[in-house]
Amino acid sequence: MTPDSFSDGGRFAGDPERAEEAAHAMVEAGAEIVDVGGESTRPGADPVSPAEEQRRVLPVIERLAAAGRCLVSVDTYRAETAALAVAAGAHIVNDVWGLQRDAGMATLAARTGVGLCIMHTGREREKLADVIDDQFAFLGRSLRLASDAGISADRIVLDPGFGFAKDTTENLRLMMRCAELHALGYPLLVGTSRKRFVRAGLRDERGVDHATAATSVLLRERGAAIFRVHDVAANRDALALVDAALAVGEAK
């Protein structure tokens, strides 16, 4: 619901009805969760006030929750916005700062029992040289915050944060080694869709959704459970094929 997101900024800004229609189209294409955000997370994006973020997302969340066709996720790192979104019907809070930006977020998640996506980011800090070591260090701290707040472990998924202060090589290494993150003991949600490292080797920008689907296949093979994408149908088709192949392999 922003005017400046990296891929679809401006398409739905200020128009909850059009956003709802787009969300229903996503559901028809196979989406089970719709993620609603009010502040762009692209590099260099201008922050917005909590009031403006809430003005953008709450009407859409209310509409989608009332329709009852999908789970609704709110993309916010602010506990204040998250609380209002949950009250409006959101089922999941997607925190791109992994509970480490707003001290009230962990408390809010524990109190409401909402589903929680804890994302890794490398922004505004010194990263460790090894991409997996850095994942364990950052997400380990986030999970301690969650545990200390009393958040039930079965409410949590982890997101390795592709593209968040990671260059192309780091993103590719993270993708190939993503299975190592299962040692943390939580399902993995991944979001590679249309990101810069996916575009890096393209002959033509029109191929970005095909390249995204290729990353989805690789990450499914490495055990990723949830995929945040723009082109739902292409990725559902790609995942259906790899799931069928994995099932045959397991049956041998």
Side-chain angles (χ1 to χ4, degrees), residues 203-237:
R203 295 173 302 157
D204 189 304
E205 280 288 306
R206 289 174 296 182
V208 68
D209 289 326
H210 301 298
T212 295
T215 69
S216 294
V217 169
L218 285 167
L219 288 162
R220 182 65 129 192
E221 287 184 304
R222 286 153 181 78
I226 305 173
F227 296 79
R228 185 191 300 110
V229 300
H230 296 87
D231 187 331
V232 176
N235 284 274
R236 285 296 301 238
D237 289 345

Side-chain angles (χ1 to χ4, degrees), residues 52-246:
E52 175 61 17
E53 179 185 43
Q54 293 153 22
R55 185 191 68 78
R56 292 174 178 179
V57 302
L58 294 178
V60 183
I61 291 169
E62 289 171 352
R63 284 172 173 264
L64 296 180
R69 299 186 63 197
C70 60
L71 295 175
V72 182
S73 168
V74 60
D75 179 353
T76 185
Y77 56 84
R78 296 182 176 97
E80 174 188 340
T81 299
L84 292 171
V86 173
H91 307 92
I92 301 165
V93 173
N94 170 26
D95 184 353
V96 299
W97 286 91
L99 304 180
Q100 297 186 39
R101 187 68 174 262
D102 185 333
M105 186 65 91
T107 302
L108 177 280
R111 176 174 59 79
T112 61
V114 70
L116 179 64
C117 177
I118 295 175
M119 199 194 80
H120 172 282
T121 183
R123 293 178 180 174
E124 298 182 16
R125 64 181 180 83
E126 190 75 23
K127 296 187 300 182
L128 298 178
D130 182 87
V131 292
I132 299 299
D133 287 347
D134 197 71
Q135 291 278 326
F136 275 81
F138 183 90
L139 293 175
R141 182 168 188 268
S142 294
L143 289 169
R144 288 191 294 274
L145 291 170
S147 177
D148 290 347
I151 299 172
S152 176
D154 65 2
R155 311 304 293 170
I156 296 172
V157 298
L158 300 180
D159 181 346
F162 286 98
F164 281 74
K166 301 171 182 71
D167 62 24
T168 295
T169 299
E170 288 171 320
N171 282 302
L172 293 174
R173 284 177 178 158
L174 178 58
M175 184 166 62
M176 299 308 292
R177 296 179 61 190
C178 200
E180 296 176 45
L181 300 180
H182 294 303
L184 289 165
Y186 294 85
L188 299 179
L189 182 156
V190 293
T192 60
S193 185
R194 299 180 181 174
K195 290 190 175 177
R196 188 177 303 170
F197 82 97
V198 176
R199 299 172 183 268
L202 294 181
R203 295 173 302 157
D204 189 304
E205 280 288 306
R206 289 174 296 182
V208 68
D209 289 326
H210 301 298
T212 295
T215 69
S216 294
V217 169
L218 285 167
L219 288 162
R220 182 65 129 192
E221 287 184 304
R222 286 153 181 78
I226 305 173
F227 296 79
R228 185 191 300 110
V229 300
H230 296 87
D231 187 331
V232 176
N235 284 274
R236 285 296 301 238
D237 289 345
L239 289 169
L241 178 59
V242 72
D243 283 349
L246 290 171

